[in-house]
């Protein structure tokens, strides 16, 4: 009985230690901003903050005003630290077909494969990779408003 009380007390005490809030991973801080390209907000772009050292990646998507809010896993925000940033906005070009349309095409074209839709990047190619992106940012403790101005 005393052992059970000791165990329950230890478990309860552990929940008052830093980091025991039911959430997993390191603490995050709010990160928002606006993505602009050619002085115009970019709608529908994927924004990725990749840590320059160990740590989790934070991601977000821009809205119609180019605003993004980062998330790390299930948490809102990013872990404080240094990041390389990538920004991608793509559009699918070419024919898209249902399975039925694809099968009909193959039959009508003697077994030839149907044309494949291609993803086209709508922003400068350098922002696709952390190796080529010139965007480096530091996320600090507290709230962060980090504008991202893309150039050719």
């Amino acid at each position: 009985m005393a052992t059970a009380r000791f165990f329950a007390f230890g478990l309860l005490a552990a929940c008052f230690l830093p980091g025991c809030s039911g959430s997993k991973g390191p603490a995050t801080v709010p990160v928002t901003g606006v993505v602009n390209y050619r002085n115009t907000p970019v709608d529908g772009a994927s924004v990725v903050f990749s840590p320059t050292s160990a740590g989790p990646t934070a991601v977000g998507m821009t809205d119609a005003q180019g605003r993004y809010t980062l998330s790390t896993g299930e948490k809102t925000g990013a872990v404080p630290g240094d990041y390389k940033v990538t920004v991608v906005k793509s559009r699918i070009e070419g024919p898209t077909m249902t399975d039925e349309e694809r099968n009909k095409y193959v039959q009508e074209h003697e077994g030839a494969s149907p044309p494949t839709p291609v993803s086209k990047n709508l922003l400068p190619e350098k922002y696709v990779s952390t190796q080529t992106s010139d965007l480096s940012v530091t996320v600090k403790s507290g709230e962060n408003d980090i504008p991202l101005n893309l150039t050719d």
Side-chain angles (χ1 to χ4, degrees), residues 5-82:
R5 281 190 201 148
F6 179 73
F7 177 75
F9 176 75
L11 187 60
L12 183 62
C15 279
F16 288 101
L17 295 173
C20 186
S21 61
S23 60
K24 296 176 181 148
T28 60
V29 295
V31 180
T32 59
V34 174
V35 175
N36 284 296
Y37 176 53
R38 296 183 178 164
N39 298 318
T40 303
V42 179
D43 177 23
S46 173
V47 178
V48 179
F49 279 41
S50 299
T52 58
S53 59
T57 299
V59 299
M61 191 70 132
T62 60
D63 63 15
Q65 290 77 42
R67 291 206 58 77
Y68 69 90
T69 299
L70 292 183
S71 295
T72 301
E74 295 179 6
K75 295 173 149 185
T76 299
V79 176
D82 295 322

Side-chain angles (χ1 to χ4, degrees), residues 44-140:
S46 173
V47 178
V48 179
F49 279 41
S50 299
T52 58
S53 59
T57 299
V59 299
M61 191 70 132
T62 60
D63 63 15
Q65 290 77 42
R67 291 206 58 77
Y68 69 90
T69 299
L70 292 183
S71 295
T72 301
E74 295 179 6
K75 295 173 149 185
T76 299
V79 176
D82 295 322
Y83 292 86
K84 286 290 283 185
V85 181
T86 57
V87 183
V88 177
K89 178 178 178 174
S90 58
R91 173 179 65 220
I92 302 297
E93 292 186 344
T96 56
M97 299 179 180
T98 64
D99 287 340
E100 184 178 316
E101 292 169 328
R102 191 174 295 107
N103 291 335
K104 183 178 177 184
Y105 181 94
V106 170
Q107 287 175 354
E108 290 175 355
H109 293 87
E110 301 175 6
S113 296
T116 305
V118 177
S119 177
K120 180 180 179 189
N121 186 23
L122 303 176
L123 298 172
E125 202 65 30
K126 67 181 177 180
Y127 296 111
V128 171
S129 167
T130 56
Q131 309 301 316
T132 55
S133 176
D134 58 3
L135 297 174
S136 295
V137 300
T138 299
V139 172
K140 299 179 180 176

